[in-house]
Each structure stands twice: as structure tokens, then as C-alpha cells.
Amino acid sequence: LIRVDRQMSFSEADQGLDEDSDLVDLWDLAQALIARREAQGGTNITLPKLNVYFQPDGSLGVGLTQWDTPAKTIVGELMILANYLAADLMHKNGCPCPYRYQEKPSPFVEGRSCPLAVPGEGAHEDAVLAGSLAARRRTGRSGLSFVPAAHHGLGLPVYTSFTAPMRRYVDLLV
């Protein structure tokens, strides 16, 4: 049962993370969920969103938006948990369900991935981006099946989508 007693933007939640004990508890829960999925073989890939826009002078501008803020991480991990629990419930009760799966990642091949460190300003951010791009290139094939199978990218034994019924028909079906 969820009772909404206030609404916050992602930036408001990020700013309130230091003072709000409920947000701190959610952050701790999200970190525990990430650690558990990674211990089960999941991969955490953080790629920024590419934004292309027109500058006031008419020229094109390009920028990156980070999607791994604390508030977005909390929401994302809780959605992954809800989708996993729905798939697990469907599977245990023998209900037909479109399961999402992802095969095991391909093995690392020396010389075929991005460098993990870039010298100079912002080297840490560049290393994280390069590492995420290299991990993304290794991800296994994904798809839908009515036969339950592991989602290796998330480190979960079963997975489905049901948290966005207003955007995706499959979520509404589940």
C-alpha cells in the first residue's frame, strides 16, 4: 500500500537527501538492491542522455544530462524491484507472462573495448563513461519470451515490465 503525502521533483529530492530520513532510508535501500543485483552478476551501466539543441545564435549545441542522480537511482531501483517481484509472482503461480530476458554478456576481449582512463580534466567522469560504454558493448542479446529466463544484465532470475502501463502496452498486459 502506497500513500502519497507529498510530491517532489527529482532535484528537490536530491537536495533533501541529507535532511530527510525517509529519503535516506530509500537511498540506503536502493544501494542495497544495487549491491544484491551486482552480487548476482548484474551490471550497473550509467550512460548520460545526449541533448542536441539550438543555441540563441542559431548554432547547434550538444550536452550530456546525467541520469544517475540519487533520486533517479532510487526510483529506478524500486521500479526494477517491482518488475522483478511481478515476474516472480507470475512465474510461481504459473501465469502466462511476457518475461524480459538478457543473455550473459560476451567475454572481455583485450583490445576491443574502450580505455578506462582518459588523462586530463574530468578524467574520472570520462573513465566512468568509457567503462559503461565498454560494458554496454558486451551486453548479451535481450528480448521477450513466455518462458521465464534470467535477465543477466540486471542480475535477476526473472523479470518483466509492469511499472509503466500508461506508456507501454506490454506493461498494461502484465
Side-chain angles (χ1 to χ4, degrees):
L1 178 65
I2 299 172
R3 190 180 114 252
V4 178
D5 61 358
R6 61 187 163 154
Q7 293 181 342
M8 305 171 119
S9 68
F10 284 115
S11 59
E12 289 170 335
D14 286 334
Q15 291 170 359
L17 192 60
D18 293 333
E19 309 121 27
D20 189 320
S21 63
D22 290 336
L23 290 175
V24 170
D25 289 345
L26 288 172
W27 174 250
D28 292 343
L29 174 60
Q31 294 304 301
L33 292 169
I34 290 169
R36 183 175 74 180
R37 289 190 309 98
E38 287 178 344
Q40 295 171 170
T43 304
N44 193 16
I45 299 175
T46 55
L47 293 175
K49 176 185 174 193
L50 176 64
N51 301 304
V52 180
Y53 52 90
F54 285 103
Q55 302 277 8
D57 67 0
S59 64
L60 278 178
V62 178
L64 298 175
T65 302
Q66 289 304 120
W67 285 103
D68 59 344
T69 67
K72 290 177 182 177
T73 298
I74 291 168
V75 170
E77 284 304 314
L78 293 176
M79 289 177 71
I80 290 169
L81 176 62
N83 289 330
Y84 160 68
L85 292 172
D88 190 54
L89 181 70
M90 300 291 270
H91 175 59
K92 285 179 178 173
N93 287 291
C95 298
C97 176
Y99 295 98
R100 293 192 173 275
Y101 68 87
Q102 187 171 37
E103 295 173 351
K104 288 183 179 181
S106 61
F108 174 76
V109 177
E110 188 67 39
R112 293 187 61 201
S113 69
C114 301
L116 295 181
V118 179
E121 188 90 14
H124 175 69
E125 292 83 10
D126 289 344
V128 170
L129 178 59
S132 291
L133 287 170
R136 185 174 180 199
R137 284 182 27 177
R138 293 182 45 238
T139 59
R141 185 175 65 97
S142 62
L144 290 172
S145 173
F146 282 100
V147 177
H151 193 297
H152 290 282
L154 294 175
L156 297 171
V158 291
Y159 190 75
T160 192
S161 293
F162 105 112
T163 56
M166 293 178 14
R167 292 188 316 231
R168 293 189 296 243
Y169 178 73
V170 170
D171 294 39
L172 183 60
L173 177 66
V174 173

